[in-house]
């Protein structure tokens, strides 16, 4: 509500971020995410400012900070389109998505983004697979794969790369889904 500024070192929000307490930041991330139903561009811009500030404050070599990065996966829902700034934010959190069991939340946002930007979504998904082999919700993964396959030869190549990463991690379910999607897509 513009009661204070992130740039003011004495503001409560800045103090909260600098204190870097996992439970406090987790609650802050949850609270802001609860605003997503009524968000507008102003809230969206503030989310991205806050997201950058949190990432600049945490040390991703610590377990607690990795868990905070995982919690930030909830904020991916505020991204309507991937640009350089949003790509950077997503790249920083994606490998840690499963640290606090939020890979499914990130996958939901990737699926939404894949409708308009399937190749950008693919890059984020591959980054997520550096730290997680989450394969649920199934319908979300099927949607991302379908959106890639719909892009033709290059999309199919990238879908196969994703499936290969899952196979390396011992998970063959996405391979089965890709086979089904290809079969349906070729019959159309």
């Amino acid at each position: 509500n513009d009661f204070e500024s992130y740039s003011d070192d004495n503001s409560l929000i800045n103090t909260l971020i600098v204190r870097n307490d996992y439970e406090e930041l987790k609650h802050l991330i949850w609270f802001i995410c609860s605003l997503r139903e009524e968000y507008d561009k102003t809230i969206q811009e503030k989310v991205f400012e806050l997201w950058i500030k949190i990432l600049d404050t945490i040390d991703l070599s610590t377990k607690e900070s990795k868990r905070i990065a995982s919690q930030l996966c909830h904020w991916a829902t505020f991204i309507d389109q991937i640009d350089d700034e949003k790509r950077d934010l997503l790249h920083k959190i994606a490998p840690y998505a499963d640290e606090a069991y939020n890979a499914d939340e990130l996958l939901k946002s990737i699926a939404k983004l894949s409708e308009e930007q399937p190749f950008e979504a693919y890059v984020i998904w591959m980054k997520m697979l550096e730290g997680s082999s989450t394969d649920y919700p199934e319908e979300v993964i099927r949607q991302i794969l379908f959106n890639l396959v719909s892009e033709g030869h290059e999309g199919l190549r990238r879908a196969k790369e994703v499936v290969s990463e899952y196979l390396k991690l011992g998970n063959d379910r996405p391979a089965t889904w890709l086979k089904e999607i290809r079969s349906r897509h070729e019959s159309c």
Side-chain angles (χ1 to χ4, degrees):
N1 288 328
D2 293 323
F3 294 131
E4 54 185 38
S5 169
Y6 303 131
S7 59
D8 178 5
D9 289 341
N10 296 321
S11 70
L12 292 176
I13 192 77
N14 193 53
T15 301
L16 182 71
I17 293 168
V18 170
R19 194 164 40 211
N20 199 15
D21 178 86
Y22 173 73
E23 289 300 324
E24 291 174 349
L25 289 175
K26 177 182 172 185
H27 189 75
L28 173 69
I29 292 165
W30 167 82
F31 173 73
I32 290 173
C33 197
S34 72
L35 301 174
R36 72 178 169 229
E37 296 301 320
E38 55 194 69
Y39 85 89
D40 59 17
K41 291 295 180 190
T42 305
I43 290 176
Q44 192 178 34
E45 290 169 13
K46 290 177 183 182
V47 166
F48 298 137
E49 287 178 43
L50 190 55
W51 192 339
I52 291 166
K53 188 143 182 90
I54 290 172
L55 285 175
D56 286 346
T57 304
I58 63 176
D59 173 7
L60 288 171
S61 68
T62 69
K63 182 160 184 63
E64 291 299 304
S65 291
K66 290 176 184 177
R67 291 175 64 207
I68 291 168
S70 178
Q71 292 298 330
L72 287 169
C73 289
H74 290 277
W75 286 1
T77 193
F78 288 100
I79 297 176
D80 298 324
Q81 185 171 18
I82 300 173
D83 57 21
D84 291 341
E85 178 188 53
K86 307 319 180 293
R87 183 183 310 108
D88 186 50
L89 292 173
L90 290 169
H91 276 213
K92 287 179 179 174
I93 65 167
Y96 308 106
D98 228 11
E99 290 290 325
Y101 312 105
N102 293 299
D104 60 325
E105 289 299 319
L106 183 57
L107 280 169
K108 290 174 189 173
S109 293
I110 291 171
K112 179 182 80 169
L113 293 165
S114 75
E115 293 173 12
E116 297 293 323
Q117 295 178 285
F119 294 141
E120 288 284 355
Y122 151 84
V123 172
I124 305 305
W125 195 5
M126 289 295 282
K127 198 76 174 158
M128 188 199 84
L129 288 171
E130 291 176 11
S132 172
S133 64
T134 297
D135 65 353
Y136 59 90
E138 179 181 334
E139 65 277 2
V140 168
I141 291 179
R142 285 177 176 272
Q143 179 184 355
I144 305 168
L145 289 171
F146 178 82
N147 291 340
L148 281 169
V149 170
S150 295
E151 292 296 311
H153 179 71
E154 183 61 22
L156 177 58
R157 184 184 69 74
R158 292 180 188 203
K160 286 180 179 180
E161 286 178 13
V162 168
V163 165
S164 290
E165 288 303 309
Y166 276 101
L167 288 170
K168 286 179 196 172
L169 297 167
N171 187 339
D172 65 347
R173 288 171 26 118
T176 303
W177 301 333
L178 178 58
K179 185 177 178 181
E180 291 170 10
I181 290 166
R182 286 182 67 193
S183 179
R184 271 186 283 145
H185 197 274
E186 289 171 1
S187 67
C188 291

